[in-house]
């Protein structure tokens, strides 16, 4: 299975990607997570990405595309993958098609997660993330057993730099202008499946699995 998750910031792409990747036994490739790991590790890639991420802008395509190409060439992605946060504009989608064609393969499905902007702001302002295992929580909707602490290994949860209200509004604008055109692009390719990403996490997962199965 080679699948892409598309949706505005806070739609639950990361949350669903983690669950679906495990259930489908394919690696989750999250460009946002890879960038954040590079920023906290102080790598060259992290230095290039940080200013764009802090503003809520897209990291330049040449940087992002090269990183994804390396990642998809790794052995564990040979049998399939779930992309979370890539592609994020039409040029990236075209680059991805080229990369997959070079590997002799193509996408099976692009799953669009739909949620309105007010809900997104609520979700992102309450989001807390684990620096150790990457699990994402919400202070109200998906709280950890012990406040501020990951259920998995007890690490202290943190709030993302770009989850301030002003930056959230900017990321939504970037989504509308640059990423939303992918919906039409992938509809044209016959790959798009859209689900409502509201309601309990498990219900969204069930809808996602049904939509993916239908496209398989
Ligand atoms: P990225 O990390 O991809 O951020 P994003 O797209 O803004 O998405 P988020 O991670 O904010 O949200 P999500 O949809 O994953 O939601 P989540 O599951 O966490 O990118 C960050 C930055 O990196 C970009 O701004 C850009 O600079 C750069 N970048 C990344 N990819 C790039 C690319 N391809 N090109 C260029 N630049 C790139 O859920 C959100 C919250 O809601 C959580 O608290 C969660 O617990 C809660 N929640 C989830 N589901 C539900 C539910 N059903 N009900 C209630 N709450 C829920
Ligand atoms: Zn953890």
């Amino acid at each position: 299975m080679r699948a892409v998750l598309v949706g505005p910031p806070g739609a639950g792409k990361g949350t669903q990607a983690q669950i679906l990747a495990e259930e489908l036994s394919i690696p989750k490739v999250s460009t946002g997570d890879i960038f954040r790991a590079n920023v906290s590790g102080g790598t060259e890639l992290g230095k290039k990405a940080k200013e764009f991420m802090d503003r809520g802008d897209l990291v330049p395509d040449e940087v992002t595309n090269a990183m994804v190409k390396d990642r998809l060439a790794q052995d564990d992605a040979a049998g399939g993958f779930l992309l979370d946060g890539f592609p994020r504009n039409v040029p990236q989608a075209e680059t991805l098609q080229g990369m997959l064609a070079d590997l002799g393969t193509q996408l099976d499905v692009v799953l669009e997660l739909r949620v309105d902007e007010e809900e997104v702001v609520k979700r992102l302002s309450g989001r807390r993330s684990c620096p150790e295992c990457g699990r994402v929580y919400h202070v109200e909707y998906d709280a950890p057993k012990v406040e501020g602490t990951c259920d998995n290994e007890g690490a202290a949860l943190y709030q993302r730099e770009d989850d301030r209200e002003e930056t959230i509004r900017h990321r939504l604008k970037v989504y509308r202008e640059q990423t939303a055109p992918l919906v039409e692009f992938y509809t044209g390719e016959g790959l798009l499946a859209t689900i409502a990403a509201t309601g309990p996490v498990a219900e969204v997962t069930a809808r996602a699995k049904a939509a993916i199965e239908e496209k398989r």
Side-chain angles (χ1 to χ4, degrees), residues 6-16 113-115 120 123-124 197-198 204:
V6 177
K13 301 181 298 295
T15 302
Q16 294 300 328
L113 302 185
R114 258 207 204 157
V115 49
V120 159
R123 286 186 184 184
L124 293 183
T198 45
V204 179

Side-chain angles (χ1 to χ4, degrees), residues 129-137 149-157:
S129 312
C130 175
E132 295 293 325
C133 69
R135 205 185 137 182
V136 171
Y137 297 87
T149 307
C150 181
D151 293 349
N152 291 339
E153 73 299 273
L157 303 178

Side-chain angles (χ1 to χ4, degrees), residues 19-94:
I19 302 168
L20 291 168
E22 210 164 287
E23 294 197 5
L24 298 166
S25 304
I26 49 178
K28 151 182 113 101
V29 176
S30 160
T31 45
D33 286 352
I34 301 174
F35 281 135
R36 278 185 291 279
N38 277 277
V39 170
S40 56
T43 70
E44 277 310 306
L45 178 65
K47 284 177 196 152
K48 282 185 200 158
K50 186 175 183 334
E51 57 170 309
F52 297 97
M53 297 178 74
D54 286 349
R55 285 203 305 266
D57 281 321
L58 297 187
V59 177
D61 286 353
E62 60 273 19
V63 176
T64 308
N65 288 338
M67 178 180 91
V68 172
K69 188 170 184 211
D70 282 352
R71 180 64 188 88
L72 295 187
Q74 286 172 25
D75 290 345
D76 68 334
F81 51 77
L82 181 58
L83 276 167
D84 156 26
F86 182 91
R88 240 180 165 90
N89 56 28
V90 171
Q92 289 184 7
E94 288 167 346

